[in-house]
Amino acid sequence: LLCIVAGYVYTTFFVSPVYESTSKAILTSNTEDGGDSSGVTQTEVTLNNSLLSTYREIATSDSVVSKVISNLGLNIPDDYLKSQISVTSATSSQVVQITVENADPSLAAKIANEIRSVFTQRVAELYDMQNIKPLDDAKVPTTPSNVNHTKDIVMFAAIGIVIAILYVVIANLLDNTV
C-alpha cells in the first residue's frame, strides 16, 4: 500500500506532463508543371518509398528546424526542438507522420503543423517537385503521453509486492529462533 501511495504521489506531483501531437502528410504523384495528378504510377510509388528515409532527415534538418523556430517566434535552441521531433512512416505506406512532444499541448500541435508546412516547401525547393500533400493537421492533445496513472499504480503495486515478498523471505532466512 505504501508503494501504491508513493507511485500516485510521484506520478501526480513529480512527473511533468508531456503532450504529443502528430501531423500527417502523404507522398503523391508529382504535380509540378501542370502534371497529370489523376493517377499514381508504380515508378512514382517506388521513388517515394526510396525517398522516405531522406524525407525523415530533411524534416529534422537544421534549415527546416530554424525556419520553424523563426516562423513561430519561438525562443528555444535548434537542438532542443530537434530532440522533440520524430518522423516516421508505416511500413509499405506513403504516409509521413511528424510527431512533436512538448509540455504545452497547443504549442506541440502548432510546431507539428509548421514542420509539415516548412518540410513540404523545402522538399519542393530541393527536388523541384510537389509530391507531398497535407493529410491530417495536428490536433491539440487533451491527455499527456507520459502519464498513465493506472499503469504507474499497477507497476508500483507490483514493486511493493516484490519488496514485501523479499522482506518475508529474508526475515525467515535470518530467523534463528527455535
Side-chain angles (χ1 to χ4, degrees):
L1 287 176
L2 288 176
C3 284
I4 291 173
V5 170
Y8 179 76
V9 168
Y10 172 74
T11 59
T12 303
F13 298 110
F14 294 105
V15 175
S16 299
V18 174
Y19 298 87
E20 277 187 4
S21 190
T22 301
S23 177
K24 294 180 183 178
I26 188 164
L27 305 178
T28 62
S29 62
N30 184 17
T31 57
E32 184 73 17
D33 300 328
D36 180 24
S37 62
S38 61
V40 179
T41 65
Q42 184 62 38
T43 306
E44 290 169 330
V45 170
T46 305
L47 173 65
N48 286 339
N49 285 336
S50 65
L51 288 174
L52 278 173
S53 60
T54 305
Y55 286 167
R56 282 187 210 110
E57 293 298 319
I58 292 171
T60 57
S61 67
D62 289 337
S63 61
V64 170
V65 170
S66 30
K67 177 99 168 136
V68 167
I69 289 173
S70 68
N71 287 355
L72 295 177
L74 302 175
N75 190 19
I76 57 175
D78 290 2
D79 291 336
Y80 178 72
L81 182 57
K82 278 184 186 181
S83 69
Q84 295 179 328
I85 302 169
S86 73
V87 180
T88 59
S89 64
T91 307
S92 302
S93 167
Q94 294 188 344
V95 175
V96 177
Q97 296 179 335
I98 301 168
T99 304
V100 176
E101 293 181 344
N102 198 296
D104 180 3
S106 61
L107 185 58
K110 284 180 189 175
I111 292 172
N113 288 329
E114 187 65 23
I115 287 173
R116 186 193 64 212
S117 174
V118 172
F119 160 68
T120 303
Q121 292 169 0
R122 188 71 177 135
V123 168
E125 292 169 7
L126 292 172
Y127 289 101
D128 195 30
M129 59 184 183
Q130 301 284 335
N131 69 333
I132 300 174
K133 305 286 186 252
L135 183 61
D136 288 330
D137 285 339
K139 294 179 178 54
V140 177
T142 56
T143 58
S145 61
N146 67 334
V147 176
N148 183 345
H149 290 299
T150 307
K151 180 186 85 169
D152 294 339
I153 288 173
V154 168
M155 283 183 4
F156 276 93
I159 291 170
I161 290 170
V162 168
I163 290 172
I165 290 171
L166 285 174
Y167 172 75
V168 169
V169 168
I170 291 174
N172 251 347
L173 289 175
L174 296 177
D175 186 11
N176 59 3
T177 58
V178 178

